[in-house]
Amino acid sequence: MSFNHGLKPGDILSNDQIYRLFKCASQGGMRPSNEKNALVLISDHTKSLYEDWWEGDIFYYTGMGTLDDQSLDYKQNKKLAESNINGIDVYLFEVFIPKKYTFIGQMTLVDDPFPSKQLDKDNKPRRVWIFPLQLADSEAQPYLEDIDIIKKKEEYRQKNAEKKTDDDLKLHTKYVKEKPSLRQVKAHVYLRDPYIAEYAKRWAHGICQLCEQEAPFYQNDKPFLHTHHIVWLSKGGEDTIQNTIALCPNCHAKVHALDLKKDVNTLRRKVAEHLRTRALSN
């Protein structure tokens, strides 16, 4: 039987409070507690190494190990993979603001872990294991009350993307999932990949890819352009470099207001030309 931790979804704890309440390890993303027969999972969105995401009510959590290929037989990966038969209770916290841990709830592994490709801490491609988790309470929903929390997460991820070199950005775009995260914050919110957005702006070199004019102004010494999904995410478009392009604010408003086929074709052609050039340079 699960112990009475007294938490409700949305409660925000400090690292020390988690350590004292769950009697678990005080560091790391997967923290075992022998005393409480529990495994506490931390998904820290302010750090850039792991890519965890929601799709509806399923949370895809990346396993343990920061270098080289991950193993399902390694420490807490094994515990989580066997959590439906070993009796360990699994709890999830998400971090959107540094040092503030938002309690999501008790989780259940709802499908077999599957391999995926991500970059390790040395920026080398490696195999990771993804664990599909769902709230143990089938009636509960992974809502967040405050949309500003999500905005904070995106700000941290965007700042991290802006620090990357062009080569690092190019590498990251090879190892991103095609669909954006979608979670409920009193409404559905698409969480776009900041590396894709930053890459689209970089290769545009300050030029709108529709009207071919320079960005109307600079912000923080950078040309101000919007990133646009040629096939809109709301219509099933992918969050990939093949579907993302940089536009001036005027053209961005135009394509959303008019959605002209000729503009869509122009943008598709521009992306295709860039990707051909990129392939030849590799």
Side-chain angles (χ1 to χ4, degrees), residues 89-143:
D89 294 327
V90 179
Y91 300 94
L92 174 65
F93 288 82
E94 290 187 78
V95 181
F96 305 97
I97 300 172
K99 301 181 180 180
K100 294 185 177 182
Y101 299 76
T102 300
F103 182 64
I104 303 301
Q106 185 172 346
M107 309 298 288
T108 299
L109 186 68
V110 293
D111 206 344
D112 292 334
F114 60 89
S116 182
K117 285 287 186 180
Q118 291 185 18
L119 300 177
D120 69 11
K121 70 177 185 179
D122 288 341
N123 258 1
K124 295 180 180 178
R126 49 79 175 264
R127 182 181 67 178
V128 300
W129 285 95
I130 305 296
F131 297 85
L133 305 172
Q134 192 174 38
L135 283 165
D137 180 358
S138 60
E139 300 298 319
Q141 292 290 331
Y143 289 120

Side-chain angles (χ1 to χ4, degrees), residues 21-259:
L21 178 61
F22 288 91
K23 308 298 183 185
C24 63
S26 61
Q27 295 182 352
M30 303 175 80
R31 306 180 180 184
S33 170
N34 293 329
E35 183 173 332
K36 302 299 184 181
N37 194 36
L39 180 63
V40 177
L41 304 180
I42 308 294
S43 181
D44 192 338
H45 303 295
T46 68
K47 298 178 180 178
S48 61
L49 182 58
Y50 296 120
E51 291 291 339
D52 306 325
W53 72 96
W54 286 94
E55 287 185 15
D57 60 353
I58 305 296
F59 187 64
Y60 293 92
Y61 184 80
T62 307
M64 185 179 188
T66 60
L67 280 174
D68 302 321
D69 289 343
Q70 293 181 351
S71 169
L72 270 185
D73 294 322
Y74 181 66
K75 294 186 177 180
Q76 314 321 323
N77 289 343
K78 182 178 177 66
K79 285 186 178 180
L80 183 54
E82 298 176 351
S83 57
N84 288 337
I85 59 175
N86 62 20
I88 289 178
D89 294 327
V90 179
Y91 300 94
L92 174 65
F93 288 82
E94 290 187 78
V95 181
F96 305 97
I97 300 172
K99 301 181 180 180
K100 294 185 177 182
Y101 299 76
T102 300
F103 182 64
I104 303 301
Q106 185 172 346
M107 309 298 288
T108 299
L109 186 68
V110 293
D111 206 344
D112 292 334
F114 60 89
S116 182
K117 285 287 186 180
Q118 291 185 18
L119 300 177
D120 69 11
K121 70 177 185 179
D122 288 341
N123 258 1
K124 295 180 180 178
R126 49 79 175 264
R127 182 181 67 178
V128 300
W129 285 95
I130 305 296
F131 297 85
L133 305 172
Q134 192 174 38
L135 283 165
D137 180 358
S138 60
E139 300 298 319
Q141 292 290 331
Y143 289 120
L144 289 174
E145 293 293 322
D146 190 354
I147 195 170
D148 287 337
I149 291 178
I150 292 295
K151 290 180 179 178
K152 283 289 185 183
K153 168 190 171 180
E154 294 306 287
E155 286 175 8
Y156 279 109
R157 298 180 77 217
Q158 184 61 47
K159 287 178 181 177
N160 184 68
E162 291 173 357
K163 294 176 183 176
K164 299 295 183 183
T165 66
D166 289 350
D167 287 341
D168 282 344
L169 272 179
K170 186 182 292 187
L171 185 60
H172 273 275
T173 62
K174 294 180 179 180
Y175 297 99
V176 296
K177 51 189 176 53
E178 294 180 348
K179 294 294 184 180
S181 288
L182 176 64
R183 72 179 305 158
Q184 299 179 60
V185 192
K186 293 291 188 179
H188 288 299
V189 179
Y190 285 106
L191 306 182
R192 296 160 173 80
D193 192 295
Y195 296 108
I196 297 294
E198 182 67 15
Y199 182 82
K201 292 177 181 178
R202 292 268 186 104
W203 73 258
H205 298 295
I207 303 298
C208 172
Q209 296 302 294
L210 187 57
C211 70
E212 299 185 343
Q213 299 298 308
E214 291 186 1
F217 59 90
Y218 277 64
Q219 182 182 48
N220 298 326
D221 297 323
K222 295 180 180 179
F224 188 86
L225 295 173
H226 291 177
T227 49
H228 170 71
H229 292 95
I230 300 172
V231 178
W232 303 351
L233 298 181
S234 61
K235 295 182 178 180
E238 297 176 347
D239 191 25
T240 62
I241 57 175
Q242 291 85 356
N243 192 47
T244 308
I245 202 161
L247 302 175
C248 68
N250 188 53
C251 284
H252 195 204
K254 174 191 174 186
V255 295
H256 276 281
L258 303 181
D259 194 21

